[in-house]
Amino acid sequence: MKNKVTDVFGVKSTLIKTYIERENVDRKFQDAINGGNEVIVYGSSKQGKTTLILKHLDETDYIKVECSPQTNPIDIYKSILRQLNIGYIESETNHTGNQQGGKINGGFKVKVPMIGEIGLGSEVNETDSQSSTQKQIFFEYNLELAQDVSELLQKNKSIKYVVLENFHYLSLETQESLAYDLRIFQDHQIIFIILGIWREANRLVQFNGDLLDRISEVPVEPWEKNDFSKVIDKGEVLLNVDFSNIKTQIINCSYDSIGVVQEICKQCCIAANVHEESETRIILEQEHLVKALKIKSNEYGVRHNRNFESFVDISRKTSTQSGKASLAFPYYFIQLLLTFQLDNIESGLSRSSLLEEIRKIHHRPDDVRSSDLGAFLHNITQYQINKKINPPFVDYDRGGKMLKIIDSSLYFYLRNCNRKEILEDLPNPVEE
């Protein structure tokens, strides 16, 4: 069966055929999942976090929970138990004829049916009308306690890992709560693998210092140019195509994003009318690259422009009102993003430099205080989630006090778009 372009190149939820192993990432991940610590896999979007899981773990080795902004810890634990076919109940009351029904009170309880003697903390249903009496024991577990959940998971030996996808979507309160629960799970040898879009180390240690030395972190970035070359070379063999005339350009315009490399290669093949493995060697030329770059720039542009519009859309206030909203930090941040030197943006923007630059262009520079900017930056991820900007395109590292772009396609778009034109089209919330 011939290889299809969409299986060889591109970004998808299944394992792509041009996956390459990187010594500093794949080996580190293998060591992490076998080391007994909780595992954090982090990096910008579309940089290989999910494919790392797909490469090294069988589907039978783990259960996965997709996190959302509405997810709470108990939602995660309930999903785990459902996937393990462990039934749970909130309460139970039976009244039928001469039957006496016992009731399990309060909270979310897990029902473990067993025939035998009555145990401590259990309740019994007895049926008078039957010739024999059956005793069913109910062990009570509070699903809001990591200790109780750990005991339940230890009873099920078929699953080695629990994968939490899109951990960054969770509220900061939920992330903090889970950081404390992870400490308990680690004590019980229950391994969680957390995937999150951020670019700094020790993210969860900020919430719970006791996790230090109890988690193993695997950053999927940076990608080296040689890695990109290996990916393209592998695709050439699988599809019988030749990228040699444009390979260097593809790598240089990807701005260190494997997702962008994959998508450009896919679009180049499609532009050359290659949809599956070719019978004869197909040479990919400059015209194919130009078409691919235009297509990806337009596709990325639709999403990023919409994100910019949503980001700057704040509640308007009159000039006599004060407060963080009236300072319009979202608008001024996007203004900097669209006017600042791209090399400076790629290396990250410190809180102090942001404060200085915003004051230069702000309509009320004397009112721009470091504390107000800090409050905005600390909540910038949740702000984007509230605006339905998924995935978030920027994140703030509280420890290093650095603002970093975490959407790997944004650099590509900013390099290929008319930034001045985009800024002019954005509504200015401070104008009358």
Side-chain angles (χ1 to χ4, degrees):
M1 187 174 182
K2 291 184 177 181
N3 295 309
K4 296 184 180 298
V5 168
T6 52
D7 292 330
V8 174
F9 288 124
V11 175
K12 56 190 302 184
S13 58
T14 56
L15 187 63
I16 204 77
K17 290 188 176 182
T18 46
Y19 183 94
I20 63 164
E21 293 196 18
R22 295 177 289 160
E23 180 72 19
N24 61 330
V25 176
D26 293 76
R27 177 62 63 84
K28 191 171 186 177
F29 178 73
Q30 290 176 319
D31 290 343
I33 61 176
N34 294 319
N37 283 351
E38 306 302 288
V39 180
I40 313 294
V41 180
Y42 68 94
S44 302
S45 64
K46 300 178 181 64
Q47 289 287 60
K49 295 180 293 297
T50 301
T51 50
L52 189 65
I53 304 296
L54 296 173
K55 176 65 176 179
H56 296 285
L57 296 179
D58 292 332
E59 289 186 0
T60 56
D61 287 339
Y62 65 93
I63 54 177
K64 182 171 70 172
V65 180
E66 296 275 359
C67 300
S68 75
Q70 292 74 40
T71 302
N72 291 312
I74 195 170
D75 300 319
I76 293 173
Y77 303 148
K78 287 162 64 177
S79 176
I80 294 171
L81 298 185
R82 282 197 301 271
Q83 293 183 63
L84 293 176
N85 295 318
I86 299 176
Y88 58 85
I89 55 177
E90 291 185 66
S91 62
E92 182 180 88
T93 305
N94 296 316
H95 295 288
T96 305
N98 294 326
Q99 293 178 348
Q100 294 294 113
K103 180 180 179 181
I104 300 176
N105 296 306
F108 287 94
K109 310 297 181 182
V110 173
K111 178 180 180 180
V112 183
M114 296 176 62
I115 305 301
E117 298 299 325
I118 303 174
L120 182 65
S122 63
E123 298 187 28
V124 180
N125 291 337
E126 298 187 4
T127 306
D128 295 343
S129 59
Q130 294 182 350
S131 58
S132 62
T133 299
Q134 187 181 67
K135 297 179 180 180
Q136 192 173 43
I137 301 174
F138 294 91
F139 292 96
E140 295 184 3
Y141 295 88
N142 185 349
L143 299 191
E144 293 180 322
L145 298 178
Q147 171 71 33
D148 285 22
V149 176
S150 296
E151 293 174 11
L152 279 167
L153 296 182
Q154 285 182 319
K155 294 178 182 296
N156 191 300
K157 302 299 183 182
S158 62
I159 296 298
K160 297 180 181 178
Y161 310 103
V162 177
V163 176
L164 299 186
E165 184 92 51
N166 295 322
F167 189 84
H168 51 278
Y169 284 162
L170 300 174
S171 67
L172 290 179
E173 292 78 10
T174 299
Q175 291 184 33
E176 183 174 5
S177 178
L178 286 169
Y180 282 91
D181 286 357
L182 287 174
R183 167 69 171 81
I184 298 173
F185 289 128
Q186 198 266 342
D187 278 346
H188 289 80
Q189 293 81 51
I190 297 167
I191 306 302
F192 278 70
I193 302 174
I194 292 174
L195 309 186
I197 296 179
W198 56 79
R199 298 180 65 188
E200 81 276 10
N202 297 321
R203 181 66 166 255
L204 269 65
V205 174
Q206 297 179 52
F207 299 124
N208 181 9
D210 205 24
L211 284 178
L212 192 64
D213 298 326
R214 294 178 180 272
I215 59 175
S216 298
E217 296 192 313
V218 183
V220 295
E221 299 175 280
W223 281 80
E224 304 294 337
K225 292 185 183 298
N226 187 49
D227 297 326
F228 295 148
S229 184
K230 290 178 181 178
V231 168
I232 297 173
D233 292 346
K234 192 172 183 179
E236 287 180 326
V237 174
L238 292 169
L239 294 172
N240 196 19
V241 296
D242 187 347
F243 278 94
S244 59
N245 291 339
I246 57 175
K247 181 164 72 171
T248 300
Q249 288 177 269
I250 291 174
I251 294 173
N252 289 339
C253 71
S254 70
Y255 305 107
D256 301 324
S257 170
I258 184 59
V260 172
V261 168
Q262 288 280 8
E263 284 295 311
I264 292 177
C265 287
K266 181 181 74 174
Q267 291 299 331
C268 283
C269 291
I270 294 173
N273 201 30
V274 176
H275 299 279
E276 61 181 21
E277 184 178 354
S278 176
E279 296 289 345
T280 59
R281 190 78 165 170
I282 303 296
I283 309 296
L284 298 173
E285 304 287 2
Q286 187 70 27
E287 62 184 281
H288 304 131
L289 176 59
V290 170
K291 187 173 182 179
L293 293 176
K294 183 177 181 180
I295 289 173
K296 292 315 299 180
S297 183
N298 289 338
E299 289 180 359
Y300 291 146
V302 170
R303 180 164 63 89
H304 289 307
N305 289 342
R306 184 172 62 245
N307 287 346
F308 293 159
E309 291 172 359
S310 298
F311 196 88
V312 303
D313 182 22
I314 62 175
S315 300
R316 297 193 180 193
K317 292 191 175 187
T318 65
S319 58
T320 58
Q321 288 179 293
S322 61
K324 290 183 281 296
S326 63
L327 292 174
F329 282 133
Y331 173 76
Y332 286 108
F333 168 71
I334 296 298
Q335 184 174 339
L336 284 179
L337 191 65
L338 294 173
T339 57
F340 222 52
Q341 289 290 331
L342 287 176
D343 290 341
N344 294 335
I345 293 174
E346 290 177 17
S347 61
L349 298 172
S350 69
R351 176 170 163 176
S352 59
S353 65
L354 277 171
L355 181 65
E356 180 182 352
E357 295 300 326
I358 287 177
R359 280 175 174 167
K360 290 179 182 179
I361 59 177
H362 204 276
H363 67 295
R364 290 162 44 198
D366 293 340
D367 292 333
V368 177
R369 299 178 300 176
S370 178
S371 59
D372 288 337
L373 178 61
F376 166 68
L377 294 175
H378 289 170
N379 293 284
I380 198 167
T381 299
Q382 188 63 47
Y383 175 82
Q384 292 170 91
I385 292 173
N386 293 342
K387 291 288 187 178
K388 302 188 185 306
I389 298 174
N390 297 319
F393 64 88
V394 65
D395 181 60
Y396 182 64
D397 173 6
R398 293 190 182 191
K401 295 185 177 181
M402 292 286 291
L403 192 72
K404 299 178 181 179
I405 289 177
I406 54 174
D407 188 322
S408 62
S409 67
L410 184 53
Y411 293 124
F412 171 85
Y413 177 61
L414 291 176
R415 292 281 186 181
N416 289 277
C417 71
N418 186 328
R419 295 196 290 164
K420 181 179 179 181
E421 184 178 285
I422 295 172
L423 180 59
E424 290 174 348
D425 289 341
L426 290 177
N428 189 336
V430 300
E431 291 180 349
E432 292 292 333

